[in-house]
Amino acid sequence: MSKPYTRLDKNDVAVLLVDHQAGLLSLVRDIDPDKFKNNVLALADLASYFKLPTILTTSFEDGPNGPLVPELKAQFPDAPYIARPGQINAWDNEDFVKAIKATGKKQLLIAGVVTEVCVAFPALSALAEGYEVFVVTDASGTFNEITRDAAWDRMSQAGAQLMSWFGVACELHRDWRNDIEGLGTLFSNHIPDYRNLITSYNTLTKAK
Amino acid sequence: MSKPYTRLDKNDVAVLLVDHQAGLLSLVRDIDPDKFKNNVLALADLASYFKLPTILTTSFEDGPNGPLVPELKAQFPDAPYIARPGQINAWDNEDFVKAIKATGKKQLLIAGVVTEVCVAFPALSALAEGYEVFVVTDASGTFNEITRDAAWDRMSQAGAQLMSWFGVACELHRDWRNDIEGLGTLFSNHIPDYRNLITSYNTLTKAK
Amino acid sequence: MSKPYTRLDKNDVAVLLVDHQAGLLSLVRDIDPDKFKNNVLALADLASYFKLPTILTTSFEDGPNGPLVPELKAQFPDAPYIARPGQINAWDNEDFVKAIKATGKKQLLIAGVVTEVCVAFPALSALAEGYEVFVVTDASGTFNEITRDAAWDRMSQAGAQLMSWFGVACELHRDWRNDIEGLGTLFSNHIPDYRNLITSYNTLTKAK
Amino acid sequence: MSKPYTRLDKNDVAVLLVDHQAGLLSLVRDIDPDKFKNNVLALADLASYFKLPTILTTSFEDGPNGPLVPELKAQFPDAPYIARPGQINAWDNEDFVKAIKATGKKQLLIAGVVTEVCVAFPALSALAEGYEVFVVTDASGTFNEITRDAAWDRMSQAGAQLMSWFGVACELHRDWRNDIEGLGTLFSNHIPDYRNLITSYNTLTKAK
Amino acid sequence: MSKPYTRLDKNDVAVLLVDHQAGLLSLVRDIDPDKFKNNVLALADLASYFKLPTILTTSFEDGPNGPLVPELKAQFPDAPYIARPGQINAWDNEDFVKAIKATGKKQLLIAGVVTEVCVAFPALSALAEGYEVFVVTDASGTFNEITRDAAWDRMSQAGAQLMSWFGVACELHRDWRNDIEGLGTLFSNHIPDYRNLITSYNTLTKAK
Amino acid sequence: MSKPYTRLDKNDVAVLLVDHQAGLLSLVRDIDPDKFKNNVLALADLASYFKLPTILTTSFEDGPNGPLVPELKAQFPDAPYIARPGQINAWDNEDFVKAIKATGKKQLLIAGVVTEVCVAFPALSALAEGYEVFVVTDASGTFNEITRDAAWDRMSQAGAQLMSWFGVACELHRDWRNDIEGLGTLFSNHIPDYRNLITSYNTLTKAK
Amino acid sequence: MSKPYTRLDKNDVAVLLVDHQAGLLSLVRDIDPDKFKNNVLALADLASYFKLPTILTTSFEDGPNGPLVPELKAQFPDAPYIARPGQINAWDNEDFVKAIKATGKKQLLIAGVVTEVCVAFPALSALAEGYEVFVVTDASGTFNEITRDAAWDRMSQAGAQLMSWFGVACELHRDWRNDIEGLGTLFSNHIPDYRNLITSYNTLTKAK
Amino acid sequence: MSKPYTRLDKNDVAVLLVDHQAGLLSLVRDIDPDKFKNNVLALADLASYFKLPTILTTSFEDGPNGPLVPELKAQFPDAPYIARPGQINAWDNEDFVKAIKATGKKQLLIAGVVTEVCVAFPALSALAEGYEVFVVTDASGTFNEITRDAAWDRMSQAGAQLMSWFGVACELHRDWRNDIEGLGTLFSNHIPDYRNLITSYNTLTKAK
C-alpha cells in the first residue's frame, strides 16, 4: 500500500548532475545563492568521498546558459561529460543513458537546475525504466516556491524519493566507524554549525 | 504502485483557460499580480507557439466578474469561446466539453481563477472521464496559500500532474534543435533573468 | 490508481462543526483571527443557505475551553448540539454519531479547532466507516503551520478531501442560475474583494 | 485505496527519542529554539504521563555531537539508553531494536534530530518490519524547511503518520474523564495560551 | 532633541478618510483584505463613538476607481463629502481644507488608499501647515511592503506619528470609567480575540 | 545631532511591567507564545537578579482582561502592585507614578501588552517628564507586525531606546567577573542554545 | 525639528538611472524579478511622460556587469549616457555631475542597482551638495532585505526621501485634469490590478 | 538637520571584529548560517585586501562561548587580539581601546555577535567619544529579527551608519581602476551570482 523502504547502497548508486551552468544559476530563486552553492558543492564532495560514479551533463554550454560551474568540472575531470546538443530531457540523449547504464547502478541520485525540468524530466524517465530515483532537493533549484512545490509533487507521486545531501551522505555511510574523520571533514566543510561544534570540541579536548 | 510518467505530447494537448476575468483577478492573492499576469500571458504565448488548440471560457462576463482579460481574447480570436450561462464547473457546460472533444486531444492543460473552483472542478471531471490532466499551477490563482495548498492536494490525489508554464513549454518542445530562436524568444519575453542572459550573451558575441 | 472524483451533492451532505469554542480559539495561530472568524461564519452561512443538516458539538464548555461562539449557537438554534462529557474524538460520542446517522447523509463536511485533533480524529473515524469526508481547511485552525501541515497530510493520506469554504459553496451550488442573488450575497458578505466588485458594478449599472 | 485509520492505543505504544543531543540541537533551524525545546519536553512529559515505554539513544555522545540533553536523561532514569557506537540509523543497532521488541509494542512514536536522518531512517526501517509508525513532527528538527518537507514526504509516502505532540496526547487519552487534572496540567505546562485560559477560569470561578 | 509627546485629545481631533473606494481597494496588497476591511470599519466606528468630526473624500468616483465603500457613506451621512474633481493630494482641494478648518481641530487622524499617495500627501501638507498628524497605519493600504515602508519613513521623518486604530481609540478614551460598555462593544466588534475573552467572561460570570 | 549614549546603570533603573494579564495575552500575535512567555519570565528573572525595583500594574483584572500572570505575581510578592481602576495609560494613575518616584530612579525599563498602548503611552509620558526610557521590545507584544512597527517608530522618534531583555541584562551586568554563575544561570534558563553550550562544555570539562 | 515637506515639482526634477545592467540585475534578490523589471520600466515611462531630463550611467559595460538593459537605452536615445570608466560612486564622475548640473534641476530622482552602492553613494553625495534627493525604492534592488534595510536607513538619516514610482508619478502629476488618459495609460501598463479596473469599467460603460 | 555624508576613507578606517566565537555563533538566528559565515569571511577578506588595521576580541574563550573561529585567527595572525577577562562591552576593556587609538584611525567598522550587545555597546561608546561608526550589519548576527531591528534602531538613532560588507568594500575602493582584478576576486569569492557572471564572461571572451 505504501512505497517500501528503498535504501541507498553506496555500491549501487550513480550521481547525475544536470545543467548546473553559470547562466542558468541566475534563474534559481527558491533558495539563497550562498546556501545553494554550498549544497551543490557538498553533493559533489560526497560523490567524490563515496567514489560514486558521477555523470555531468549540460545544455547549450556555448549559448546564454553558460558553462558548467568550474568547480564541478574540476572535481570530476574523468567523469562522463555529455554536452547535449539540444535535448531538454537529458534522458532523451542516448549518450547520457548509455553512460548511466555503463555504471551498472540501479539507484540514481539526481540534482540540477531547474528542478521542474532538468531534474524532473530525467527523474520521471528513469522511474519509468525501473531505476530507483532519489532527488537531492537542496542541490536543485528553480524559479520560486510554487514551481518547486509543483515539481516535487509530480516526482513524488511518480515514485521518486525526496532527500537532502546530508540525508544522502548519512544513508550511504551507514556507520561512522567506517571513517569518522572523512565524513566529519565533509560535514565540517559544508555545515557551519557543525564546524563550530568541532572547533569547540577540539579546543576543549586539546586543552586537557 | 506510483503514477507512470505521462509525458506531454504537443500533438495530443489542448489548453483550457478558465475564467481569467478582469473582476475575478482581484481575488487572486496567493501570487503577486505582476508575476501572475506574466505567467498567464506566457501560457498563452506557449499555446500559440506550439499551435495547441485552446479553449476559452468565462463565467458571467456581464456581471461583476468582468470580461475576459483582453490580451487573451486578442491572442485567440478564433478559439472556441464559451461564455457559460451559469455552470460553475466548466465541465458541466456541454459546449465546453464538446469543444474539448472536437480537438481530439487526450491531454489537457488547465489554468484558471480561482484554483480550487475554476481549475479543480474541470480538472477532476476530466480525470474522471479518462483524460490526462496537467494543472498549470503558476498560471492559476486563488485567495491565499491555504486554499491553494488544499486545492493542489485534492487535484494531485485524484491523479492530476502539477506543472509550471516553463515546465510545460520544455516538455512540449523536447529538443532545442526543433527551433532555438522561437523558444528562446518565448523565454526572453517572460523571464527577465533569462532575457538578461541573452542580452549579455548577444552583446559579447556581437562584440567579437 | 488515484482517488475518483467524489463530488459534493447538496442532497447528501451534513456539516459537523467541532469545538469552535471561545477559549479554544485563542490557541489558533496558523491563520489570522480576522480571517478565521470570517471563514467560520462563511461556512455557517453556506450551511444555512444550502439547508444542510448541521451538527454542533463542544468539549467541556463549562471549563476553560469556553462556550461555543455565540454566532454559531444563534445561527443553528435547532441543530443537534452535543456537549460531549469528555470524549476528545467526537466520533467516540454515541450521540454525535447517531445525530449524523439520523441525517441519512453520506458526505460529511468537517471543520473545527484544533485541526489535528477535533477535525482529524472524527474525519479519520468517519472515513473508516465509509463516509466521504471533506475537510473545510480554512474554517479549521491550529497552533502553527507545522501542526497544520502534519494534520493535513494524515487526513489526505487516509482519503479525506481538502477544501475551502468557497470551494464547498461552489461545488454545492453547481449553477449560478439556481439562485444568483442568494449566492452573490453570501460571497459579498464574506469576501471583501468580491463585495467591491459588486459595489462598483452596481454603481455603474444603476448609473446607466 | 487509502491508508486505514491506525489509531494510537496507549497500551500498544513505545516512544523512541533519537539523538536529542546538546551539540546536534544547534543544527536545528526549521523551528524556533524556544518552541522546539518546549515540544521535546512536552513529548517527554506525555510519555511519562501515559507510562509509555521509552527508549533513548544517542550518537557519539563523547564527540562534538554532545551529550543527551540532561532533562531527558533525568526524566527517564530507568529507560533503555543506547549510546550507539557508530550506527547512523538507530535501527541498525541491535540493542536498539531489541529494546523495542522487548516492549512488545506495535506502535512507535519517533522524534529526533535531525529529521531526515535520525527520525526518517528508523521510521522507514520500522515500517519495513511492519510496525505502525507515528512521527512526532514538532518534536523533531532539521536544518531548514526544504530538508524538512523532503523528509516528511519520504516518510509519509512510506506509510508513516505525521502528528504533533498535542495530537498524540489527545489520541492516547481519548476521554478527558480518564483524568482531567493530569492532562490539563500537562497542557498547561506546555501551551502558554492554554495556561492563560486556565488562569482566567480559575480566577473567575474561585471568585464566585 | 526628540519629538515631544503630542497626545490625542478627543476635543481636538478630526478624522480624514481618503479614497477608500471600491476599485482602489483591489490595489491594496500589504495587508489581508479581511483584516483591512475590519480595520477601516473599526476606525469609522471609533470616529462615530468619539463623535469626531469626520471628512470623506474620493477621487474620480465615476471612473474605474469606483465609489466610496458604502459602509463609510452610510456611517457618516452628514459628514462633509468632497468628491475631488482631479486633485491627487486632497490638500490641494480647497473644499477639503476648508472642511478641515471648519472643524477647528488641530489634530488630524488620516487613513486612506494608497498609503504613499492618498495618505502621505495630505499628511505632509498638513504637517507643513502646523497640524499634528497621526497616521492610522492599519486602516491604510498600498501595493506591497516596500511601498509601505518607504511611505512610513517619509511621513515619520516629516513629523507624523504612526498609530493603529486600537492605539487611537485607547489614547482618545483615556479612562475606561468614561464608558466601559461603549468601548468594550467597539473592541468586541472588531477584535475576535477580545470578543472571545468577553464571551468566556460573560458565560462564567452569568453562570454564578 | 544624534541621541547621546544613555547607558543603563543598575543603580538607577526601575522596571515597569504593564498589563501582562492572562486574557490580554491572547491578543499578542506578533511573537510566538512560547518565545513570548520565555522573554517575559526572563525579564522578570533579570529584574530579580539585579534587584531592580519593579512595579506591577494591571487594567481591569476582574473583567475579561484577566488576572496578572501568576508567575509575575509570585516573583514580586512585595512589589508595588497597582490595579488601575480605569486609566489606560498607566502614567495617568497617580499611585503608579508615585511608586516610580519612590524608587528614586531615572531610568525606566518598560514592557507590557499591548505594545502601542500599555507600553507606548507610559513610555511617552515618562519621556515627557525627563526619564530615560528603555523599551524591552521582546517582552512586549501586540496584534501584528504593522501595529508593532508603528508603535516602535512612535516611541523611538520620541527618544525611547529599543532593547531586548538580553541586551538589558548585558548592559546592566557590565562585567562577567561581577558574577559568572549567576548571569550564566539566568541565560541558561532562558536561552536553549546557550544552555546547550553549557551542557556540552560541562560534560567535556568534567570528563577531564 | 522634522524634515519640511519638499514636494516634487515636475519643472525641477531630473532622473538618474544608475547601473541597471543585464549582468548586475542577477544580483537583485530583495524583490521579485517580474515586479522589479516592471517597476524599472514604469519609472522610465514616467520620466518620458513628464519629459524629465534623464541621465543614464553604467559601470564597466564591457565586462561581466553587462550592458545597460536595452529597453532603457531605447527609451532615452538622446539622454546623456555616461559609461563610467571606473568610478563606483557615479558622483565621482565629472561628466555625470556636469550632466546633472546642465539640467538646472534641484530635485533628483535616483534608482539603480545595487541599492547600497549605486543608489546610496550618489544620493549621499547629492545631499551633501544641497540637492533634494528622492530615492525610487521599488525601482532599485539589492542582495537581500538586510542590505536593503541598512541602505534605506543610511539614506533616510542623511535626508533623502524614500518613495515608490507610483508615488512619484502622483506627486508630479498633481491633478488628474492635467491629463487623464496619459496618466491612466501609464498606470494601466504597469499595474495589473489597475488595468483590470479599467477593463471592467470600459466594458460596462461601453455597454450602456 | 540630517546627518552629513561621512564617507569611508581607507586611510582612516580600523576594523573591530567582536566575539565571532564558535559557541556564540549557535545563538545567531536572524540570518542563515551559510550566508552569515560567508559575510564574516568576506569582511575579513576586505579588511586584508584594503590593509585595514584590524582588532580581534573575544569574551571568555575558555568557557562555553568557545574560541574565535579559526579562519579569523588565521587571517590576522599579527592583529591585536584582546581576550577580554570579563568586560561585556569591549570598549570597557582598556587594551581594546588602546589598540584602537594606536591605529590613529577615526572611522570604525564594527561587526560581531550578538548585534545588540557585542556590536551595539562598543558602537555606542565609540560614538560617544567622537568616532565615526559604521556597523557592518550583515556580518553581525543575533537571536531573531525583533532583537536585530531594535538594535539597529538604537545604533542608528545614536548616529551610527548601517552598512553591508559589499557597500563597505565599494565605498573604500572608490574606483575600479585602482585594481580591477583584486576587487573582482574578492567579489567572486563571496558572491556566487557575481562569480557566475565572471565565469560566463571569461568563457565567452576566451572563446573569441
Side-chain angles (χ1 to χ4, degrees), chain C residues 109-163:
Chain C
L109 285 169
I110 308 185
V113 171
V114 299
T115 310
E116 72 267 43
V117 173
C118 305
V119 178
F121 291 0
L124 294 166
S125 294
L127 285 163
E129 299 207 7
Y131 284 87
E132 294 164 4
V133 172
F134 301 78
V135 176
V136 191
T137 55
D138 53 355
S140 302
T142 179
F143 300 101
N144 51 58
E145 299 197 4
I146 289 178
T147 57
R148 178 176 74 202
D149 290 353
W152 284 24
D153 185 84
R154 194 182 191 205
M155 293 189 286
S156 171
Q157 296 286 3
Q161 298 198 51
L162 307 183
M163 298 194 70

Side-chain angles (χ1 to χ4, degrees), chain E residues 52-78:
Chain E
L52 305 177
T54 298
I55 296 167
L56 305 171
T57 182
T58 58
S59 160
F60 273 133
E61 277 211 52
D62 302 332
N65 291 354
L68 185 68
V69 293
E71 289 91 342
L72 294 182
K73 205 177 287 187
Q75 184 145 6
F76 303 103
D78 304 323

Side-chain angles (χ1 to χ4, degrees), chain G residues 3 6 14 36 56 60 66-67 69 72 78 80 82 106 108 119 122 124 128 139 147 162 174 178 198-199 207:
Chain G
K3 289 186 201 163
T6 310
F36 186 55
L56 305 172
F60 272 133
V69 293
L72 294 183
D78 304 324
I82 291 95
K106 280 285 157 40
L108 301 180
V119 178
L124 294 166
T147 58
L162 307 182
R174 300 217 169 167
N178 290 329
I198 288 178
T199 297

Side-chain angles (χ1 to χ4, degrees), chain C residues 93-105:
Chain C
N93 180 293
E94 287 187 16
D95 294 336
F96 183 72
V97 177
K98 264 188 214 159
I100 292 167
K101 292 197 169 149
T103 67
K105 310 300 185 190

